[in-house]
Amino acid sequence: MNERLDALLSARRDGVLETSERAELERLLATHAAARDRAAAFERVDEALRSLAAQPVADARLARNLARLEERSGSESSSGTASPVVGRGRVLDIRDRDRDRYGYGMAAAAVGVAAVWIGMLVLAPTGVQMETEMVIGEPPDAAREAISTEDLAGLGIDQVGDLEVIEELELLEFLAARERSEEGPRG
Amino acid sequence: MQPSDPDVRLMLAYRGGDEAALAELYRRWAARLLRYLERIVREPAVAEELLQDTFLRVLDARERYVPEARFSTWLYHIARNLACNELARARLRHPHVSSDANERCEDGRPSLVLVAGGPRPDVDADGRRERDRFARAFATLPERQQSALWLAVVEGHSYEEIAGVLGTSVQSVKNRVHRARATLVDRMQEPAAIAVEKIR
């Protein structure tokens, strides 16, 4: 079945057929059984997707996520920027949360830089310092810079904002992993 | 500004200090958004984190919220950006996986995690199999096609609104929606064994 028919059928389903296209499609549908079958198949796809989206989500799961959202938004705060969540007495202060995250990030970067200097001082006379530096001493930012522009384009990362959020998420993952390791395994 | 949108009204009420309005927004959108995020990132636990992240962004924007579009368009825009960043991060962890530079946020992970819900007694086995098969086929689409089709079919967004969410042109949205539908029709018409083989 040709691409043109698919485009027309799809446009019809979304109500964006132009007058001339509508006439073209009606002619195809009137004269080709295969076109009618294709139209029915398109309809079934939409129904299947709606059915998929309509699968119920357990109330308990939503409630658990709401509770987790409140936890993540921070404990009760008296700061002026706080934004309470759903009136349960807890408040959000996302600016503080972000400050904490960046605080951890800066600390991690400082540790990385210190490791480079210590590594250089301790291992300078030996023949293994280059490899050691590359593996241990490279701070996270330098590692990121090693990714080429082409790599980033290939990943679809084309905005500074994306990188900032990725950095933020990486830090979140690190903090979550640390939290998990501190809490021990769960059932 | 679209004051006719009940969600915009809720968000404005929340901005004005009505805490219950946020609870209502969560009640109205959390389940649908979670389903969307599960389809995009394919891991329920990650989707839940992203759901929370999305609402955290909504909370953060409370003071400066200005309705310029439907609330759902804004919400999906946030959720999708977060999901795309998650996918990009996953790809950084797995750089060996090929990617198509033309498909921003396309997830090329080879293995699929089926996130359809567990068995329900009210759905017969054949129906469940078909639904799961469709879910697998949907999961093979590039992310932009998934999002475009989801927003068009499930949320009834216009192509203009979808273009805003995806950061692309209306024509591009039109093409992606049509390609997504055509691919799904082809996949669903194939015998199941062949379809599974293609997915792998």
Side-chain angles (χ1 to χ4, degrees):
Chain A
M1 197 56 60
N2 66 47
E3 183 94 351
R4 177 66 181 164
L5 174 63
D6 285 349
L8 292 173
L9 289 173
S10 182
R12 185 177 72 160
R13 295 216 56 77
D14 294 326
V16 293
L17 267 185
E18 292 171 11
T19 308
S20 61
E21 291 176 327
R22 182 171 295 110
E24 182 184 353
L25 179 59
E26 281 172 4
R27 196 168 53 249
L28 284 169
L29 291 173
T31 54
H32 293 84
R36 292 191 292 276
D37 290 345
R38 191 76 173 170
F42 268 50
E43 189 175 344
R44 284 197 297 275
V45 159
D46 283 9
E47 285 168 4
L49 184 56
R50 285 195 198 96
S51 166
L52 204 62
Q55 281 183 266
V57 177
D59 287 344
R61 190 178 178 202
L62 293 176
R64 192 181 67 235
N65 273 281
L66 181 58
R68 181 77 183 116
L69 175 62
E70 290 182 335
E71 283 171 19
R72 289 180 60 194
S73 69
S75 59
E76 198 155 350
S77 162
S78 58
S79 104
T81 58
S83 307
V85 183
V86 301
R88 285 179 51 185
R90 293 172 187 266
V91 294
L92 290 175
D93 192 339
I94 293 165
R95 288 189 184 87
D96 282 351
R97 184 172 58 90
D98 288 344
R99 266 202 301 275
D100 287 347
R101 281 191 218 156
Y102 288 119
Y104 283 122
M106 291 300 288
V111 168
V113 171
V116 172
W117 281 102
I118 292 169
M120 287 173 70
L121 288 172
V122 172
L123 299 172
T126 74
V128 297
Q129 78 272 24
M130 291 304 290
E131 277 191 1
T132 310
E133 266 185 53
M134 288 175 68
V135 174
I136 298 173
E138 196 170 50
D141 285 345
R144 250 192 294 280
E145 283 168 12
I147 300 170
S148 70
T149 308
E150 289 76 16
D151 288 336
L152 291 177
L155 295 169
I157 300 170
D158 53 10
Q159 295 173 21
V160 174
D162 286 343
L163 288 173
E164 287 173 354
V165 178
I166 290 166
E167 188 176 278
E168 191 175 86
L169 287 170
E170 283 173 346
L171 198 53
L172 269 179
E173 186 183 59
F174 163 74
L175 293 172
R178 195 180 60 176
E179 191 177 309
R180 279 196 298 275
S181 70
E182 285 173 357
E183 288 174 358
R186 289 182 179 174
Chain B
M1 179 162 170
Q2 301 184 26
S4 60
D5 181 349
D7 298 304
V8 166
R9 286 204 298 271
L10 283 168
M11 190 62 198
L12 289 172
Y14 175 57
R15 191 184 69 182
D18 180 0
E19 307 302 334
L22 179 66
E24 179 64 9
L25 283 171
Y26 182 87
R27 191 191 65 75
R28 288 167 66 90
W29 285 101
R32 270 194 279 184
L33 207 55
L34 187 57
R35 283 294 178 221
Y36 166 74
L37 288 165
E38 282 179 337
R39 295 298 145 198
I40 301 300
V41 298
R42 306 178 194 174
E43 293 176 28
V46 175
E48 289 186 9
E49 286 287 310
L50 293 174
L51 173 70
Q52 295 159 25
D53 287 342
T54 303
F55 275 93
L56 283 173
R57 299 294 168 108
V58 171
L59 291 162
D60 194 28
R62 176 184 192 173
E63 302 294 334
R64 56 182 189 278
Y65 175 73
V66 177
E68 293 173 340
R70 261 204 279 184
F71 175 80
S72 58
T73 308
W74 180 57
L75 194 66
Y76 270 102
H77 184 79
I78 297 170
R80 179 183 176 266
N81 280 347
L82 291 168
C84 284
N85 285 332
E86 173 60 28
L87 294 179
R89 197 161 56 95
R91 207 172 289 139
L92 280 171
R93 289 197 300 264
H94 305 285
H96 60 283
V97 175
S98 65
S99 63
D100 178 353
N102 295 321
E103 281 287 357
R104 182 174 186 274
C105 190
E106 181 186 31
D107 182 8
R109 282 176 292 172
S111 62
L112 299 178
V113 178
L114 185 64
V115 292
R120 286 171 46 197
D122 58 322
V123 178
D124 63 78
D126 284 347
R128 227 173 22 239
R129 262 196 297 276
E130 276 302 289
R131 191 187 63 203
D132 289 352
R133 201 169 146 231
F134 180 82
R136 287 179 187 278
F138 186 76
T140 65
L141 297 176
E143 181 279 332
R144 280 191 165 196
Q145 288 186 31
Q146 288 179 319
S147 291
L149 187 62
W150 184 284
L151 292 171
V153 173
V154 177
E155 298 299 345
H157 283 183
S158 69
Y159 286 173
E160 286 79 8
E161 288 172 320
I162 298 169
V165 171
L166 301 186
T168 188
S169 67
V170 169
Q171 186 57 46
S172 170
V173 169
K174 191 173 181 180
N175 291 340
R176 288 173 200 278
V177 169
H178 127 234
R179 282 209 302 270
R181 280 194 175 109
T183 302
L184 288 172
V185 165
D186 292 342
R187 291 267 159 80
M188 294 306 287
Q189 286 177 342
E190 290 171 348
I194 296 173
V196 168
E197 189 60 34
K198 280 200 173 181
I199 288 167
R200 285 177 182 154

